[in-house]
Amino acid sequence: MRLQTLGWIAFLLLAGCSQQPEAGLGERIVTLPGGKRIVAEVMIRPEDMARGMMYRERMEPDRGMLFLHERPGRYPYWMHNVKIPLDIVWLDGSRRVVEISSNTPPCLERAESCKAYGGREVSAAVLELAGGEAAKLGIAEGAVLQF
């Protein structure tokens, strides 16, 4: 019994050392150009999409938030009550990057004072990353992401 217990402990320790990110409930792995993978929270419900990154203090470099729209359309985003700069990446139905707003500034003012960004191109999904991460990760218009 003691040997079996030690075996399980070793397995759990090694499993925790995995280099590949794992997605939890409500998350997806997004594979970027060059093969790097990040974990993105998935937003589908309108109320979750409206809240997005509001009130959050940070986003880790290997994390993102993925908004999956019900149908393709033009979707401008805003930064009302978002506390950190974000890169906002619009993707078409083929998951090709069609538009990027880099280092989009936070807006902690009244809602009517906050500017809308993007939405000039038809998109089906939007990926938000910490400000400056899209360029670091090699995400540019025309790139195709997998999720």
Side-chain angles (χ1 to χ4, degrees), residues 74-82 86 88 90 99-107 109-121 126 128:
R74 286 182 166 74
Y75 297 104
Y77 274 55
W78 69 340
M79 298 288 285
H80 182 243
N81 288 325
V82 175
L86 296 175
I88 307 173
W90 286 263
E99 189 174 355
I100 299 175
S101 177
S102 300
N103 279 306
T104 312
C107 184
E109 301 169 20
R110 293 187 333 262
E112 58 272 6
S113 300
C114 294
K115 179 181 173 184
Y117 296 88
R120 292 182 302 278
E121 302 293 331
V126 173
E128 291 182 343

Side-chain angles (χ1 to χ4, degrees), residues 76-98:
Y77 274 55
W78 69 340
M79 298 288 285
H80 182 243
N81 288 325
V82 175
K83 296 182 173 189
I84 60 171
L86 296 175
D87 288 346
I88 307 173
V89 181
W90 286 263
L91 306 150
D92 68 12
S94 299
R95 299 176 179 162
R96 183 178 56 89
V97 177
V98 295

Side-chain angles (χ1 to χ4, degrees), residues 18-115:
S18 172
Q19 296 296 334
Q20 294 295 323
E22 293 185 27
L25 189 61
E27 297 176 329
R28 279 201 190 169
I29 298 294
V30 178
T31 304
L32 307 172
K36 178 161 176 56
R37 296 164 27 135
I38 63 166
V39 177
E41 291 178 62
V42 177
M43 300 293 150
I44 298 172
R45 298 181 330 161
E47 58 270 24
D48 295 333
M49 293 175 96
R51 184 177 56 255
M53 283 294 296
M54 284 183 176
Y55 311 109
R56 296 198 188 186
E57 300 289 332
R58 60 191 300 210
M59 180 182 285
E60 299 298 326
D62 59 345
R63 303 286 299 192
M65 187 172 283
L66 182 62
F67 299 80
L68 301 177
H69 292 280
E70 190 174 337
R71 65 184 65 80
R74 286 182 166 74
Y75 297 104
Y77 274 55
W78 69 340
M79 298 288 285
H80 182 243
N81 288 325
V82 175
K83 296 182 173 189
I84 60 171
L86 296 175
D87 288 346
I88 307 173
V89 181
W90 286 263
L91 306 150
D92 68 12
S94 299
R95 299 176 179 162
R96 183 178 56 89
V97 177
V98 295
E99 189 174 355
I100 299 175
S101 177
S102 300
N103 279 306
T104 312
C107 184
L108 299 173
E109 301 169 20
R110 293 187 333 262
E112 58 272 6
S113 300
C114 294
K115 179 181 173 184

